[in-house]
Amino acid sequence: MLQDAGMLAALFERSMGLDDTWEVTGAWFEEVEGGADELHVRVARVRGEAVPCPECGRRCGVHDTRERTWRHLDIWQFRTYVHCAVPRADCPEHGVRTVLMPWEVRPNSHFTALFEAQVLAACMRGATVRSVAASLGESDRRLWDMLNRAVAQARDGADYSAVTRVGIDETSRARGHTHISTMLDLDGRRCVAVTDGNDKGAAGRMCDQLEAHGGDRAAVAEVTRDMSGSYSAAVAEQMPRAAQTIDRFHVMQLFSRATDRVRCAERRESDEKREMLRRTKYVWLKREESLTERQRDTRERLAPRRSHLRTARACQMTEAMRDVYSCAAASEAGPELDRIVSWMMHSNVPEMKRVALTVRENGEGILNYFGSRLTNAYLEGANSLIQSIKRAARGFRNVEYFTTAIFLRLGGLTFDALACASS
Protein backbone atom coordinates (compact mmCIF):
# COMPACT_ATOMS: atom_id res chain seq x y z
CA MET A 1 0.00 0.00 0.00
CA LEU A 2 2.84 2.41 0.77
CA GLN A 3 4.36 1.71 -2.64
CA ASP A 4 0.97 2.36 -4.27
CA ALA A 5 0.64 5.61 -2.34
CA GLY A 6 4.06 6.73 -3.53
CA MET A 7 3.19 5.96 -7.15
CA LEU A 8 -0.09 7.88 -6.88
CA ALA A 9 1.72 10.79 -5.22
CA ALA A 10 4.09 10.93 -8.19
CA LEU A 11 1.08 10.95 -10.52
CA PHE A 12 -0.38 13.77 -8.45
CA GLU A 13 2.84 15.79 -8.67
CA ARG A 14 2.92 15.53 -12.47
CA SER A 15 -0.78 16.43 -12.81
CA MET A 16 -0.35 19.51 -10.62
CA GLY A 17 2.64 20.80 -12.55
CA LEU A 18 4.56 21.74 -9.41
CA ASP A 19 7.82 23.62 -9.99
CA ASP A 20 11.06 22.91 -8.16
CA THR A 21 10.14 25.18 -5.23
CA TRP A 22 7.48 22.66 -4.10
CA GLU A 23 7.85 19.01 -3.24
CA VAL A 24 5.66 16.08 -2.24
CA THR A 25 6.89 15.03 1.18
CA GLY A 26 4.48 12.25 1.98
CA ALA A 27 1.55 10.13 0.84
CA TRP A 28 -0.65 7.68 2.69
CA PHE A 29 -4.00 5.93 2.61
CA GLU A 30 -6.68 6.34 5.25
CA GLU A 31 -9.44 3.81 5.74
CA VAL A 32 -13.03 5.06 5.69
CA GLU A 33 -15.66 3.00 7.43
CA GLY A 34 -18.19 1.76 4.90
CA GLY A 35 -16.39 3.39 1.97
CA ALA A 36 -13.31 3.37 -0.23
CA ASP A 37 -9.92 4.32 1.15
CA GLU A 38 -8.77 7.93 0.81
CA LEU A 39 -5.44 9.06 -0.59
CA HIS A 40 -3.75 11.90 1.31
CA VAL A 41 -0.79 13.79 -0.12
CA ARG A 42 1.40 16.28 1.74
CA VAL A 43 3.07 19.08 -0.19
CA ALA A 44 5.61 21.49 1.26
CA ARG A 45 7.65 24.47 0.19
CA VAL A 46 11.31 23.55 -0.33
CA ARG A 47 13.21 24.72 2.72
CA GLY A 48 15.11 27.97 2.17
CA GLU A 49 13.00 29.08 -0.82
CA ALA A 50 11.54 32.59 -0.67
CA VAL A 51 7.83 33.11 -1.31
CA PRO A 52 6.16 35.74 -3.54
CA CYS A 53 4.00 38.46 -1.99
CA PRO A 54 0.49 37.97 -3.43
CA GLU A 55 0.09 41.75 -3.69
CA CYS A 56 3.26 42.81 -5.51
CA GLY A 57 5.04 39.55 -6.37
CA ARG A 58 8.17 40.54 -4.46
CA ARG A 59 10.23 37.62 -3.14
CA CYS A 60 9.96 37.62 0.66
CA GLY A 61 10.84 35.56 3.67
CA VAL A 62 8.29 33.32 5.38
CA HIS A 63 6.59 34.87 8.42
CA ASP A 64 4.84 31.67 9.53
CA THR A 65 2.71 28.80 8.17
CA ARG A 66 -0.88 27.64 8.62
CA GLU A 67 -2.09 24.11 8.02
CA ARG A 68 -4.79 23.66 5.34
CA THR A 69 -6.44 20.86 3.35
CA TRP A 70 -7.94 20.79 -0.18
CA ARG A 71 -10.08 18.27 -1.99
CA HIS A 72 -8.41 17.21 -5.24
CA LEU A 73 -9.53 15.21 -8.27
CA ASP A 74 -9.95 11.55 -7.47
CA ILE A 75 -6.85 9.59 -8.46
CA TRP A 76 -8.08 6.27 -9.77
CA GLN A 77 -10.92 5.32 -7.41
CA PHE A 78 -9.50 7.12 -4.37
CA ARG A 79 -10.75 10.41 -3.02
CA THR A 80 -7.66 12.55 -2.84
CA TYR A 81 -6.83 15.29 -0.35
CA VAL A 82 -3.90 17.70 -0.39
CA HIS A 83 -2.31 18.88 2.86
CA CYS A 84 0.10 21.80 3.13
CA ALA A 85 1.47 24.18 5.73
CA VAL A 86 0.65 27.35 3.81
CA PRO A 87 3.37 30.01 4.15
CA ARG A 88 2.59 33.65 4.81
CA ALA A 89 4.91 36.15 3.10
CA ASP A 90 6.54 38.84 5.24
CA CYS A 91 6.43 41.70 2.71
CA PRO A 92 8.15 44.96 3.75
CA GLU A 93 5.55 46.95 1.81
CA HIS A 94 2.28 45.05 2.33
CA GLY A 95 2.96 43.25 5.58
CA VAL A 96 2.05 39.64 6.27
CA ARG A 97 0.07 38.09 3.38
CA THR A 98 -1.05 34.50 2.77
CA VAL A 99 0.57 33.01 -0.33
CA LEU A 100 -1.69 31.70 -3.09
CA MET A 101 -0.96 28.03 -3.63
CA PRO A 102 -0.11 26.92 -7.21
CA TRP A 103 -3.13 24.56 -7.21
CA GLU A 104 -5.60 27.22 -5.99
CA VAL A 105 -7.85 29.45 -8.11
CA ARG A 106 -8.51 31.86 -5.27
CA PRO A 107 -7.37 32.22 -1.66
CA ASN A 108 -9.06 30.20 1.07
CA SER A 109 -10.60 27.71 -1.35
CA HIS A 110 -11.49 24.23 -0.11
CA PHE A 111 -10.76 22.70 -3.52
CA THR A 112 -7.90 22.52 -5.97
CA ALA A 113 -8.25 24.19 -9.37
CA LEU A 114 -8.60 20.83 -11.13
CA PHE A 115 -11.39 19.75 -8.79
CA GLU A 116 -13.21 23.07 -9.37
CA ALA A 117 -12.80 22.61 -13.13
CA GLN A 118 -14.43 19.18 -12.90
CA VAL A 119 -17.42 20.59 -11.02
CA LEU A 120 -17.75 23.62 -13.32
CA ALA A 121 -17.60 21.50 -16.46
CA ALA A 122 -20.29 19.13 -15.16
CA CYS A 123 -22.63 21.96 -14.11
CA MET A 124 -22.11 23.87 -17.37
CA ARG A 125 -23.14 20.73 -19.26
CA GLY A 126 -26.42 20.64 -17.34
CA ALA A 127 -25.78 18.40 -14.34
CA THR A 128 -27.43 19.55 -11.12
CA VAL A 129 -25.28 20.52 -8.17
CA ARG A 130 -27.02 17.89 -6.08
CA SER A 131 -26.12 15.09 -8.52
CA VAL A 132 -22.51 16.31 -8.85
CA ALA A 133 -22.16 16.50 -5.08
CA ALA A 134 -23.54 12.98 -4.68
CA SER A 135 -21.18 11.54 -7.30
CA LEU A 136 -18.16 13.21 -5.68
CA GLY A 137 -19.18 12.55 -2.09
CA GLU A 138 -19.24 16.27 -1.27
CA SER A 139 -21.73 18.55 0.41
CA ASP A 140 -23.89 20.39 -2.13
CA ARG A 141 -23.69 23.44 0.12
CA ARG A 142 -19.89 23.49 -0.25
CA LEU A 143 -20.17 23.11 -4.01
CA TRP A 144 -22.71 25.94 -4.21
CA ASP A 145 -20.36 28.18 -2.20
CA MET A 146 -17.55 27.36 -4.62
CA LEU A 147 -19.73 27.96 -7.68
CA ASN A 148 -21.02 31.27 -6.29
CA ARG A 149 -17.45 32.49 -5.81
CA ALA A 150 -16.35 31.22 -9.23
CA VAL A 151 -19.24 32.98 -11.01
CA ALA A 152 -18.70 36.19 -9.04
CA GLN A 153 -15.00 36.17 -9.93
CA ALA A 154 -15.74 35.47 -13.61
CA ARG A 155 -18.36 38.22 -13.74
CA ASP A 156 -15.85 40.69 -12.30
CA GLY A 157 -13.82 40.16 -15.48
CA ALA A 158 -16.80 40.35 -17.87
CA ASP A 159 -16.93 43.32 -20.27
CA TYR A 160 -20.36 44.60 -21.30
CA SER A 161 -19.16 47.84 -22.91
CA ALA A 162 -20.30 46.71 -26.39
CA VAL A 163 -23.88 45.86 -25.35
CA THR A 164 -26.36 47.96 -27.34
CA ARG A 165 -29.29 45.59 -28.00
CA VAL A 166 -30.87 43.68 -25.16
CA GLY A 167 -33.88 41.52 -24.44
CA ILE A 168 -35.73 41.57 -21.14
CA ASP A 169 -37.90 38.73 -19.93
CA GLU A 170 -39.27 37.21 -16.75
CA THR A 171 -39.54 33.65 -15.54
CA SER A 172 -40.75 31.93 -12.39
CA ARG A 173 -38.18 30.51 -10.00
CA ALA A 174 -40.48 28.50 -7.73
CA ARG A 175 -44.14 27.73 -7.24
CA GLY A 176 -46.35 30.72 -6.64
CA HIS A 177 -45.83 34.29 -7.75
CA THR A 178 -42.06 34.33 -7.39
CA HIS A 179 -40.22 35.55 -10.45
CA ILE A 180 -36.84 36.70 -11.65
CA SER A 181 -36.07 39.09 -14.49
CA THR A 182 -33.24 38.52 -16.95
CA MET A 183 -31.44 40.81 -19.39
CA LEU A 184 -29.67 39.19 -22.32
CA ASP A 185 -27.24 40.64 -24.84
CA LEU A 186 -28.90 39.85 -28.18
CA ASP A 187 -25.70 40.28 -30.19
CA GLY A 188 -23.32 38.52 -27.78
CA ARG A 189 -25.86 35.80 -26.98
CA ARG A 190 -25.20 35.90 -23.25
CA CYS A 191 -26.97 36.77 -20.04
CA VAL A 192 -25.71 40.07 -18.58
CA ALA A 193 -28.04 40.63 -15.62
CA VAL A 194 -30.43 38.75 -13.34
CA THR A 195 -32.54 40.27 -10.58
CA ASP A 196 -35.18 39.01 -8.21
CA GLY A 197 -38.74 40.07 -9.02
CA ASN A 198 -40.51 41.52 -12.07
CA ASP A 199 -41.58 44.83 -10.50
CA LYS A 200 -41.04 48.34 -11.87
CA GLY A 201 -37.60 48.53 -10.28
CA ALA A 202 -36.34 45.36 -11.99
CA ALA A 203 -35.15 47.16 -15.14
CA GLY A 204 -33.20 49.67 -13.05
CA ARG A 205 -31.50 46.95 -11.04
CA MET A 206 -30.49 45.14 -14.21
CA CYS A 207 -29.12 48.36 -15.71
CA ASP A 208 -27.06 48.83 -12.54
CA GLN A 209 -25.55 45.37 -13.07
CA LEU A 210 -24.86 46.22 -16.73
CA GLU A 211 -23.00 49.38 -15.78
CA ALA A 212 -21.07 47.61 -13.01
CA HIS A 213 -19.30 45.67 -15.79
CA GLY A 214 -18.51 48.48 -18.21
CA GLY A 215 -21.89 48.77 -19.93
CA ASP A 216 -23.90 51.97 -20.38
CA ARG A 217 -27.69 52.09 -20.16
CA ALA A 218 -27.66 55.25 -22.29
CA ALA A 219 -25.90 53.32 -25.08
CA VAL A 220 -28.67 50.72 -25.35
CA ALA A 221 -30.43 51.45 -28.63
CA GLU A 222 -32.99 48.63 -28.81
CA VAL A 223 -34.88 46.56 -26.26
CA THR A 224 -37.18 43.63 -26.92
CA ARG A 225 -39.69 42.79 -24.22
CA ASP A 226 -43.11 41.35 -23.55
CA MET A 227 -46.20 43.48 -22.97
CA SER A 228 -45.74 43.87 -19.23
CA GLY A 229 -46.77 47.37 -18.17
CA SER A 230 -44.06 47.52 -15.53
CA TYR A 231 -41.34 46.83 -18.11
CA SER A 232 -42.72 49.44 -20.53
CA ALA A 233 -42.51 52.35 -18.12
CA ALA A 234 -39.27 51.21 -16.50
CA VAL A 235 -37.42 50.72 -19.80
CA ALA A 236 -38.50 54.18 -20.99
CA GLU A 237 -37.14 55.67 -17.76
CA GLN A 238 -33.93 53.65 -17.44
CA MET A 239 -32.97 53.41 -21.14
CA PRO A 240 -34.49 56.56 -22.66
CA ARG A 241 -32.65 56.24 -25.99
CA ALA A 242 -33.79 52.68 -26.60
CA ALA A 243 -36.54 51.83 -29.05
CA GLN A 244 -38.83 49.25 -27.48
CA THR A 245 -39.93 46.32 -29.62
CA ILE A 246 -42.75 44.07 -28.54
CA ASP A 247 -41.76 40.59 -29.52
CA ARG A 248 -43.96 38.90 -32.12
CA PHE A 249 -44.06 35.70 -30.05
CA HIS A 250 -45.62 37.48 -27.07
CA VAL A 251 -48.21 39.23 -29.24
CA MET A 252 -49.36 35.98 -30.83
CA GLN A 253 -49.24 34.26 -27.44
CA LEU A 254 -51.63 36.92 -26.11
CA PHE A 255 -54.08 36.23 -28.95
CA SER A 256 -53.82 32.44 -28.67
CA ARG A 257 -54.40 32.40 -24.92
CA ALA A 258 -57.41 34.70 -25.28
CA THR A 259 -58.84 32.43 -28.02
CA ASP A 260 -58.52 29.41 -25.74
CA ARG A 261 -60.21 31.28 -22.88
CA VAL A 262 -63.12 32.03 -25.23
CA ARG A 263 -63.37 28.32 -26.11
CA CYS A 264 -63.31 27.26 -22.44
CA ALA A 265 -66.00 29.79 -21.49
CA GLU A 266 -68.23 29.02 -24.47
CA ARG A 267 -68.21 25.24 -24.05
CA ARG A 268 -69.64 25.68 -20.53
CA GLU A 269 -72.68 27.57 -21.82
CA SER A 270 -74.69 24.60 -23.12
CA ASP A 271 -74.52 20.91 -23.89
CA GLU A 272 -74.79 21.70 -27.59
CA LYS A 273 -71.72 23.96 -27.56
CA ARG A 274 -69.82 21.52 -25.36
CA GLU A 275 -70.37 18.85 -27.99
CA MET A 276 -69.46 21.19 -30.85
CA LEU A 277 -66.22 22.29 -29.17
CA ARG A 278 -65.22 18.89 -27.82
CA ARG A 279 -61.58 18.06 -28.65
CA THR A 280 -61.13 21.20 -30.76
CA LYS A 281 -58.49 23.04 -28.71
CA TYR A 282 -55.74 22.78 -31.33
CA VAL A 283 -58.17 23.36 -34.18
CA TRP A 284 -58.21 27.00 -33.04
CA LEU A 285 -54.67 27.38 -31.70
CA LYS A 286 -52.64 25.99 -34.60
CA ARG A 287 -51.73 28.05 -37.64
CA GLU A 288 -53.97 27.35 -40.61
CA GLU A 289 -51.10 25.90 -42.66
CA SER A 290 -50.22 23.55 -39.77
CA LEU A 291 -53.66 21.99 -39.48
CA THR A 292 -54.24 18.37 -40.36
CA GLU A 293 -56.87 17.64 -42.96
CA ARG A 294 -59.32 16.58 -40.25
CA GLN A 295 -58.66 19.73 -38.20
CA ARG A 296 -59.08 21.90 -41.29
CA ASP A 297 -62.45 20.29 -42.02
CA THR A 298 -63.54 20.89 -38.41
CA ARG A 299 -62.55 24.55 -38.53
CA GLU A 300 -64.42 25.01 -41.81
CA ARG A 301 -67.52 23.24 -40.42
CA LEU A 302 -67.52 25.48 -37.32
CA ALA A 303 -66.74 28.72 -39.19
CA PRO A 304 -68.65 31.83 -37.93
CA ARG A 305 -70.91 31.96 -40.97
CA ARG A 306 -72.17 28.46 -40.10
CA SER A 307 -71.99 28.06 -36.34
CA HIS A 308 -71.92 31.64 -34.94
CA LEU A 309 -69.42 30.45 -32.32
CA ARG A 310 -67.49 33.22 -30.57
CA THR A 311 -64.48 30.87 -30.54
CA ALA A 312 -64.49 30.81 -34.34
CA ARG A 313 -64.58 34.62 -34.46
CA ALA A 314 -61.72 34.83 -31.95
CA CYS A 315 -59.75 32.44 -34.16
CA GLN A 316 -60.39 34.67 -37.18
CA MET A 317 -59.03 37.65 -35.24
CA THR A 318 -55.91 35.69 -34.33
CA GLU A 319 -55.34 34.73 -37.96
CA ALA A 320 -55.82 38.36 -38.98
CA MET A 321 -53.11 39.37 -36.51
CA ARG A 322 -50.78 36.76 -38.00
CA ASP A 323 -51.42 38.31 -41.42
CA VAL A 324 -50.29 41.70 -40.09
CA TYR A 325 -46.81 40.26 -39.57
CA SER A 326 -46.61 39.46 -43.28
CA CYS A 327 -46.54 43.19 -44.02
CA ALA A 328 -43.27 44.59 -45.34
CA ALA A 329 -43.17 47.81 -43.31
CA ALA A 330 -44.77 49.61 -40.38
CA SER A 331 -46.53 52.01 -42.78
CA GLU A 332 -48.39 49.03 -44.22
CA ALA A 333 -48.92 47.21 -40.93
CA GLY A 334 -50.23 50.27 -39.00
CA PRO A 335 -53.59 50.62 -40.81
CA GLU A 336 -54.12 46.85 -40.69
CA LEU A 337 -53.46 46.82 -36.94
CA ASP A 338 -55.94 49.70 -36.43
CA ARG A 339 -58.57 47.82 -38.44
CA ILE A 340 -58.14 44.65 -36.33
CA VAL A 341 -58.31 46.60 -33.06
CA SER A 342 -61.52 48.33 -34.20
CA TRP A 343 -63.04 45.00 -35.24
CA MET A 344 -62.21 43.43 -31.88
CA MET A 345 -63.52 46.40 -29.90
CA HIS A 346 -66.87 46.25 -31.72
CA SER A 347 -67.24 42.48 -31.44
CA ASN A 348 -69.30 40.59 -28.87
CA VAL A 349 -66.23 38.68 -27.63
CA PRO A 350 -65.22 40.27 -24.28
CA GLU A 351 -61.94 38.37 -24.05
CA MET A 352 -60.79 39.76 -27.40
CA LYS A 353 -61.85 43.27 -26.41
CA ARG A 354 -59.36 43.10 -23.55
CA VAL A 355 -56.69 41.96 -26.00
CA ALA A 356 -57.55 44.93 -28.25
CA LEU A 357 -56.95 47.34 -25.36
CA THR A 358 -53.55 45.78 -24.67
CA VAL A 359 -52.61 45.95 -28.36
CA ARG A 360 -53.69 49.61 -28.54
CA GLU A 361 -51.56 50.47 -25.49
CA ASN A 362 -48.52 48.75 -27.01
CA GLY A 363 -49.10 49.72 -30.63
CA GLU A 364 -45.82 51.62 -31.03
CA GLY A 365 -43.76 48.72 -29.70
CA ILE A 366 -45.60 46.24 -31.94
CA LEU A 367 -44.96 48.38 -35.03
CA ASN A 368 -41.29 48.85 -34.09
CA TYR A 369 -40.84 45.19 -34.98
CA PHE A 370 -41.18 46.04 -38.67
CA GLY A 371 -38.17 48.34 -38.47
CA SER A 372 -35.84 46.33 -36.26
CA ARG A 373 -37.16 42.80 -37.01
CA LEU A 374 -35.91 41.98 -33.52
CA THR A 375 -37.50 38.98 -31.87
CA ASN A 376 -37.25 37.29 -28.52
CA ALA A 377 -36.38 34.00 -30.21
CA TYR A 378 -33.04 33.85 -28.41
CA LEU A 379 -34.73 35.06 -25.21
CA GLU A 380 -37.37 32.34 -25.48
CA GLY A 381 -34.71 29.72 -26.08
CA ALA A 382 -32.79 31.02 -23.07
CA ASN A 383 -35.98 31.09 -21.01
CA SER A 384 -36.65 27.47 -21.99
CA LEU A 385 -33.15 26.57 -20.77
CA ILE A 386 -33.71 28.50 -17.53
CA GLN A 387 -36.94 26.60 -16.97
CA SER A 388 -35.12 23.30 -17.54
CA ILE A 389 -32.54 24.36 -14.92
CA LYS A 390 -35.38 25.10 -12.49
CA ARG A 391 -37.16 21.81 -13.20
CA ALA A 392 -33.98 19.78 -12.78
CA ALA A 393 -33.37 21.43 -9.40
CA ARG A 394 -37.09 21.25 -8.51
CA GLY A 395 -37.24 25.00 -8.04
CA PHE A 396 -34.97 27.50 -6.34
CA ARG A 397 -35.88 29.17 -3.07
CA ASN A 398 -32.43 30.74 -2.96
CA VAL A 399 -32.19 33.46 -5.63
CA GLU A 400 -28.39 33.49 -5.45
CA TYR A 401 -28.20 29.80 -6.37
CA PHE A 402 -30.62 30.28 -9.28
CA THR A 403 -28.62 33.28 -10.53
CA THR A 404 -25.39 31.28 -10.33
CA ALA A 405 -26.95 28.39 -12.28
CA ILE A 406 -28.15 30.79 -15.00
CA PHE A 407 -24.75 32.44 -15.42
CA LEU A 408 -23.05 29.04 -15.55
CA ARG A 409 -25.18 28.03 -18.55
CA LEU A 410 -25.90 31.37 -20.23
CA GLY A 411 -23.32 33.88 -18.99
CA GLY A 412 -20.63 33.20 -21.59
CA LEU A 413 -18.12 33.60 -18.75
CA THR A 414 -14.45 32.62 -18.64
CA PHE A 415 -13.50 30.64 -15.54
CA ASP A 416 -9.94 30.55 -14.19
CA ALA A 417 -10.31 26.94 -13.04
CA LEU A 418 -11.16 25.79 -16.57
CA ALA A 419 -8.22 27.79 -17.94
CA CYS A 420 -5.92 26.08 -15.43
CA ALA A 421 -7.26 22.66 -16.39
CA SER A 422 -6.79 23.27 -20.13
CA SER A 423 -3.25 24.48 -19.64
Side-chain angles (χ1 to χ4, degrees), residues 20 25 40-41 58 69 98 119 121-122 156 174 176 195 242 274 305 339 354 371 373 387 396:
D20 56 8
T25 60
H40 292 256
V41 180
R58 180 176 179 174
T69 302
T98 301
V119 175
D156 285 342
T195 188
R274 180 180 292 107
R305 64 181 182 275
R339 182 185 66 80
R354 288 192 287 272
R373 295 291 171 174
Q387 288 296 319
F396 286 88

Side-chain angles (χ1 to χ4, degrees), residues 266 272-273 276-277 280 283-284 288 291 294-317 319 343:
E266 193 166 26
E272 180 185 3
K273 288 186 175 181
M276 292 173 68
L277 292 169
T280 64
V283 169
W284 313 113
E288 188 170 359
L291 294 172
R294 183 175 180 178
Q295 288 171 333
R296 190 175 290 109
D297 291 343
T298 302
R299 184 183 286 191
E300 177 63 24
R301 176 171 55 82
L302 299 178
R305 64 181 182 275
R306 295 181 177 180
S307 66
H308 304 291
L309 286 172
R310 297 195 308 279
T311 305
R313 283 196 291 278
C315 180
Q316 280 188 327
M317 296 168 187
E319 290 296 331
W343 173 24

Side-chain angles (χ1 to χ4, degrees), residues 198-350:
N198 57 349
D199 55 290
K200 291 182 178 180
R205 295 193 296 274
M206 289 189 289
C207 285
D208 291 342
Q209 293 182 37
L210 178 71
E211 293 184 334
H213 299 91
D216 183 2
R217 70 187 73 193
V220 177
E222 293 177 291
V223 177
T224 64
R225 60 172 181 84
D226 61 18
M227 284 180 280
S228 169
S230 60
Y231 283 155
S232 173
V235 168
E237 179 182 348
Q238 297 294 330
M239 293 172 274
R241 297 183 183 178
Q244 299 187 45
T245 298
I246 304 298
D247 177 53
R248 173 178 178 172
F249 170 84
H250 284 101
V251 175
M252 295 315 306
Q253 184 184 63
L254 178 71
F255 274 79
S256 295
R257 287 178 175 176
T259 299
D260 198 45
R261 285 196 296 272
V262 174
R263 180 189 65 86
C264 292
E266 193 166 26
R267 70 190 298 272
R268 290 193 295 267
E269 292 177 358
S270 67
D271 292 340
E272 180 185 3
K273 288 186 175 181
R274 180 180 292 107
E275 183 61 28
M276 292 173 68
L277 292 169
R278 188 168 65 91
R279 297 180 180 176
T280 64
K281 178 177 180 177
Y282 295 103
V283 169
W284 313 113
L285 297 185
K286 290 172 68 173
R287 297 185 180 193
E288 188 170 359
E289 60 271 21
S290 301
L291 294 172
T292 65
E293 183 176 352
R294 183 175 180 178
Q295 288 171 333
R296 190 175 290 109
D297 291 343
T298 302
R299 184 183 286 191
E300 177 63 24
R301 176 171 55 82
L302 299 178
R305 64 181 182 275
R306 295 181 177 180
S307 66
H308 304 291
L309 286 172
R310 297 195 308 279
T311 305
R313 283 196 291 278
C315 180
Q316 280 188 327
M317 296 168 187
T318 300
E319 290 296 331
M321 187 65 215
R322 285 199 178 100
D323 291 340
V324 170
Y325 281 107
S326 65
C327 295
S331 58
E332 181 184 347
E336 288 299 310
L337 189 64
D338 290 339
R339 182 185 66 80
I340 292 172
V341 168
S342 177
W343 173 24
M344 294 164 70
M345 290 298 297
H346 290 88
S347 71
N348 67 337
V349 188

Side-chain angles (χ1 to χ4, degrees), residues 32 44-45 116 120 130 134 157 159 172 177-178 264 267 297 306 316 341 361 363 396 398:
V32 178
R45 187 78 174 177
E116 287 199 18
L120 282 166
R130 180 175 296 178
D159 180 14
S172 63
H177 300 288
T178 52
C264 292
R267 70 190 298 272
D297 291 343
R306 295 181 177 180
Q316 280 188 327
V341 168
E361 290 172 0
F396 286 88
N398 187 310

